[in-house]
Amino acid sequence: MRRTASILIITAMLLAVLLSLTTASAAEPKFSTDKTVYKVGEPIMVTASSDNAGGTDWVGITPKDKKDLGNLTWIYTKDTSTTFDIRKAPNWTTNKTLIKYETFPAGEYLVYFMPNDLNFKGNEDKALGVIEIVIENDDRYPVKAPIDANYYIYDLDSGISDGVINITLPAEHGADDIEVWWGDENGRLAGYTMLARFKAPTKNGPVKFYYELDRRTFIPAGATRLMIYSCSDEHGESEVVYSVPLGNAQSYGFPEGEPLLEFEVISDTHVHDETSAANFKNALKDIALNSPNSAGIFLVGDMVENGGDPAQWEQFWDTYDSVGAAPEIYLGIGDHDLLDYASYGEAVESFISQIRMPEGADRTDGVPYYDLWLGDYHFIVLGDADGLAEGETARIGEAQYDWLEEKLSEDNNSRPVFLFMHQSLKATVAGSAVNAGRWGIEDGERLQKILDSHPEIVMFNGHSHWTLDADNSIYAPKNSAAIFNTASVSYLWQSYDLPTGERLEGSQGYYVKVYKDSVVVLGRDFANGKWVSSAQFVLEDKTTPEKIDTNELEKLIKDAEAIDKTKYTEKSYNALAVVLEGAKKALSATAQTEIDGAEKSLAAAIGALEEIKTNGDGEETAPPETPKPTEESTTAPEDKGGCGSSFSALGVLLVCTAGASLVLKKRR
């Protein structure tokens, strides 16, 4: 009995050991967070482990009110050391309905632990664990980020950013302004400045408002989202950014091939000391690096601080000459270039002697305005006609207006014309907003009429020093002349907050690229070597018609008109007359292929007519008949040209190639 009892005891002990081993191998998963209430920006520490820790069990987090859409960020437990900060999980959602947060903003969230790659959506009951957490705003961060935002783009396929950003700020947001940046998966998009900065509503909130992007600017390559910050003068940017994915919106694609022409526009270098000269030199080096095929730089006035000081002009040219790779530079007169002279005439004479008048420029003696052609494009540089307004305003004058209209009459092909004037036209770019009453061209009414009648003009002003991120950097109603504010190379004036803005260190200008169907104007921050996000403009209504050669067609028309129709039957000559009329209309065609087609048709008609003349009695002499194919023939006769129809915008032209036969009945 004792032996039997011992055996039973030993067996029970072995079973207990085995049971404990089995229980240990199937241990309950461990899943917890270090707490359930967090402050914005605080680490969210998660502990997660299971028997499948080396496999496909995973932890994710999602906003509680969007839990059916998917996770914000997630991680396999095999990739952790048991405890980790879920904010730094390496994987984030590909669901564009959700947002990748830099730091999770205030709100309610679900942290969940799922087995074997099982999707959380629809499988909450199979989760190894679900924990609700709350994130609250921290009083240490007085500027609170938006709690919601979306971006409605007017045309997803165009690459143009015009659209509306809708933003919601929380209660007591503490923001003075809102900043918007282009972003990608790494943060702010490299090589680009801020896209927009605008005033936040003064209401404590929660408050919804919108901001409209409507400048014909484009979405740069590589941008995948908008990054929206709140900011204040006292505390700077919010610790949290709200990201809005661009989804299916396309970035702008530059036209194929090299530009037909490229040049740069800068203004207000104000060279007079080491700092201004260094800014000028830096801009020149930037242009030499980024535009090796530049046709030239147009500097829209105020080259020096004081035009009457020869030493400043010497410093200006020494600086330019020190950058050997800099393109040719073309100068327009500004108000500072007229300072400290006894008279306007003396100032202009000195200016003309200093500007190294470009070869090929057309300028009347004694005036500061001139024009020139670079390739097939017309450039016109205007200037203040009397210098009496002491810089705040300018006059063009009747003589210069007459000259301008005469020059514009040379452009009969509607390709872009580039116009430059230091001061601005009132109620446009630098002549608008709070300064409409004191800045601008005094006698600008006539210029406005000229611009209205010449939509091919692209005009550049200087003088204001306003930053290129201003809402009024461009005045460009569609199908009309476009006018651009050119900022300054010397220093900037922060224009988004006029009239209380402040003078800033900075240096900006434009790169201009001309394509067949558009003109692209790219704002550049020379000081930081970046593109100005809010000044990447596309003018799609500025086109360059194909260069047309009509010489041969005009010669053929003269030959056809010289033919003596009395030598031909009325019917035969009328056939030629129809083609001749079509050829005359083709002279106004905008494509060389239409010209070539009309030329071929007319040459063929003349050639065919020459073979059908009347004899001395008025009887028509027909050409030899073309043998008819026999019934046994299974192949078509060799194509000798024949007659056909050419379809174009000019209608249908009869096409008869040389050597073809016209089968006409003899006149009885």
Side-chain angles (χ1 to χ4, degrees):
M1 289 294 292
R2 290 179 178 177
R3 184 176 180 181
T4 302
S6 297
I7 293 172
L8 291 173
I9 292 171
I10 292 171
T11 301
M13 291 174 64
L14 288 173
L15 288 172
V17 171
L18 290 172
L19 182 61
S20 66
L21 290 174
T22 303
T23 303
S25 64
E28 290 293 322
K30 293 182 179 180
F31 179 56
S32 64
T33 57
D34 57 334
K35 52 187 178 180
T36 57
V37 179
Y38 299 85
K39 297 294 185 182
V40 168
E42 192 175 3
I44 303 172
M45 303 306 297
V46 178
T47 299
S49 64
S50 69
D51 286 345
N52 195 25
T56 54
D57 291 355
W58 61 282
V59 176
I61 185 172
T62 189
K64 184 177 180 180
D65 61 347
K66 295 181 179 179
K67 63 181 180 180
D68 290 338
L69 295 177
N71 48 287
L72 281 174
T73 187
W74 61 276
I75 188 171
Y76 284 119
T77 53
K78 68 179 181 179
D79 297 327
T80 75
S81 56
T82 306
T83 300
F84 54 93
D85 183 353
I86 188 64
R87 300 176 312 148
K88 298 181 179 180
N91 309 304
W92 68 286
T93 182
T94 56
N95 186 329
K96 299 305 181 183
T97 308
L98 292 176
I99 307 300
K100 179 186 179 182
Y101 295 105
E102 307 302 297
T103 298
F104 300 125
E108 296 180 326
Y109 295 84
L110 298 178
V111 184
Y112 45 85
F113 191 10
M114 300 300 296
N116 297 319
D117 267 335
L118 192 64
N119 197 321
F120 179 61
K121 181 180 179 181
N123 295 302
E124 293 181 51
D125 58 329
K126 298 181 179 64
L128 301 176
V130 179
I131 301 171
E132 294 189 18
I133 66 170
V134 176
I135 300 177
E136 298 176 340
N137 282 307
D138 192 338
D139 293 337
R140 293 175 300 173
Y141 304 115
V143 184
K144 301 174 185 176
I147 56 176
D148 192 21
N150 62 69
Y151 178 26
Y152 175 78
I153 302 176
Y154 298 143
D155 186 348
L156 291 174
D157 299 326
S158 68
I160 305 301
S161 65
D162 293 1
V164 176
I165 305 171
N166 295 294
I167 299 171
T168 303
L169 287 175
E172 299 179 356
H173 52 75
D176 295 318
D177 302 296
I178 302 296
E179 290 182 359
V180 182
W181 298 73
W182 293 119
D184 58 16
E185 62 274 9
N186 298 315
R188 295 175 182 177
L189 187 64
Y192 285 85
T193 65
M194 185 192 311
L195 174 61
R197 181 172 177 172
F198 46 89
K199 285 296 180 184
T202 55
K203 182 179 177 181
N204 285 331
V207 57
K208 295 183 179 181
F209 63 104
Y210 73 91
Y211 180 79
E212 186 172 16
L213 293 172
D214 186 17
R215 304 183 180 121
R216 302 191 198 181
T217 56
F218 61 72
I219 302 171
T224 59
R225 57 176 171 155
L226 287 183
M227 301 177 67
I228 306 174
Y229 296 85
S230 298
C231 56
S232 73
D233 296 335
E234 182 179 358
H235 300 287
E237 293 177 342
S238 56
E239 293 292 321
V240 180
V241 59
Y242 195 99
S243 295
V244 181
L246 298 183
N248 295 326
Q250 300 295 313
S251 60
Y252 177 71
F254 281 82
E256 293 183 2
E258 294 297 316
L260 302 176
L261 181 77
E262 55 185 295
F263 62 94
E264 291 71 45
V265 186
I266 60 177
S267 186
D268 295 85
T269 50
H270 289 273
V271 172
H272 68 287
D273 59 14
E274 290 185 3
T275 300
S276 57
N279 287 343
F280 181 36
K281 185 173 184 177
N282 184 59
L284 293 172
K285 292 171 68 175
D286 189 280
I287 291 169
L289 176 65
N290 291 296
S291 186
N293 297 321
S294 172
I297 303 170
F298 285 81
L299 204 171
V300 197
D302 283 4
M303 278 65 69
V304 296
E305 181 73 11
N306 188 326
D309 186 349
Q312 293 182 16
W313 279 106
E314 182 178 357
Q315 187 179 25
F316 174 88
W317 284 116
D318 285 348
T319 304
Y320 171 77
D321 292 336
S322 70
V323 183
E328 189 77 33
I329 193 165
Y330 306 101
L331 310 182
I333 198 166
D335 56 290
H336 278 258
D337 306 315
L338 295 169
L339 292 179
D340 283 355
Y341 289 100
S343 67
Y344 171 77
E346 180 185 344
V348 171
E349 183 179 349
S350 175
F351 171 76
I352 293 170
S353 69
Q354 291 286 357
I355 65 172
R356 300 183 182 178
M357 184 60 66
E359 184 178 351
D362 185 6
R363 182 187 60 79
T364 303
D365 289 340
V367 300
Y369 48 87
Y370 60 95
D371 78 317
L372 69 153
W373 290 76
L374 296 179
D376 295 324
Y377 295 91
H378 198 178
F379 291 77
I380 302 175
V381 181
L382 303 180
D384 189 352
D386 57 26
L388 299 179
E390 298 182 354
E392 296 296 347
T393 59
R395 294 183 59 82
I396 291 179
E398 293 303 310
Q400 187 172 192
Y401 271 129
D402 292 342
W403 174 86
L404 173 61
E405 291 185 327
E406 179 183 348
K407 289 298 178 180
L408 288 173
S409 68
E410 299 175 7
D411 306 304
N412 55 7
N413 54 14
S414 299
R415 66 186 58 216
V417 175
F418 301 99
L419 183 67
F420 307 89
M421 175 80 181
H422 181 66
Q423 290 85 354
S424 56
L425 189 67
K426 289 185 178 181
T428 65
V429 289
S432 61
V434 297
N435 292 304
R438 64 188 184 93
W439 281 355
I441 300 168
E442 285 291 343
D443 57 344
E445 295 83 0
R446 185 172 172 183
L447 179 58
Q448 183 66 70
K449 292 179 180 178
I450 291 173
L451 296 177
D452 290 342
S453 60
H454 288 275
E456 72 275 15
I457 289 177
V458 181
M459 184 175 179
F460 295 89
N461 300 133
H463 190 54
S464 73
H465 292 240
W466 288 0
T467 56
L468 296 180
D469 60 4
D471 285 340
N472 52 15
S473 290
I474 179 176
Y475 176 82
K478 291 187 177 181
N479 300 315
S480 70
I483 309 176
F484 291 91
N485 163 48
T486 315
S488 168
V489 166
S490 180
Y491 64 89
L492 302 173
W493 195 263
Q494 187 158 304
S495 52
Y496 87 96
D497 192 23
L498 284 172
T500 59
E502 58 180 328
R503 175 170 166 165
L504 304 173
E505 296 302 320
S507 181
Q508 296 179 343
Y510 287 119
Y511 285 74
V512 183
K513 299 180 184 292
V514 183
Y515 296 92
K516 182 179 183 299
D517 296 317
S518 62
V519 173
V520 181
V521 182
L522 308 174
R524 182 71 172 172
D525 180 346
F526 296 124
N528 296 300
K530 295 182 177 181
W531 300 107
V532 181
S533 293
S534 59
Q536 305 293 292
F537 301 108
V538 181
L539 303 177
E540 294 182 329
D541 51 352
K542 302 293 183 285
T543 61
T544 299
E546 182 182 356
K547 196 170 184 179
I548 304 299
D549 182 2
T550 62
N551 289 335
E552 289 301 318
L553 181 57
E554 290 173 356
K555 290 178 182 178
L556 281 173
I557 289 173
K558 289 182 179 180
D559 290 344
E561 290 176 333
I563 290 174
D564 184 359
K565 66 180 180 180
T566 62
K567 295 183 178 181
Y568 306 92
T569 64
E570 181 178 354
K571 186 173 182 180
S572 297
Y573 185 81
N574 285 344
L576 170 67
V578 170
V579 181
L580 175 60
E581 187 62 27
K584 290 179 179 179
K585 291 180 179 179
L587 289 174
S588 60
T590 58
Q592 187 65 44
T593 54
E594 292 188 64
I595 299 295
D596 294 343
E599 181 184 322
K600 182 177 180 181
S601 297
L602 186 56
I606 293 174
L609 184 66
E610 286 296 324
E611 298 183 9
I612 309 173
K613 297 182 178 180
T614 60
N615 59 27
D617 298 327
E619 291 290 323
E620 187 175 78
T621 303
E625 292 186 4
T626 303
K628 296 181 179 179
T630 62
E631 292 182 0
E632 291 79 11
S633 176
T634 57
T635 59
E638 182 182 357
D639 185 6
K640 299 294 185 179
C643 294
S645 298
S646 175
F647 293 88
S648 73
L650 301 174
V652 181
L653 301 179
L654 295 176
V655 180
C656 298
T657 57
S661 299
L662 293 181
V663 181
L664 301 174
K665 293 183 179 180
K666 292 184 179 181
R667 185 167 55 188
R668 299 298 180 188

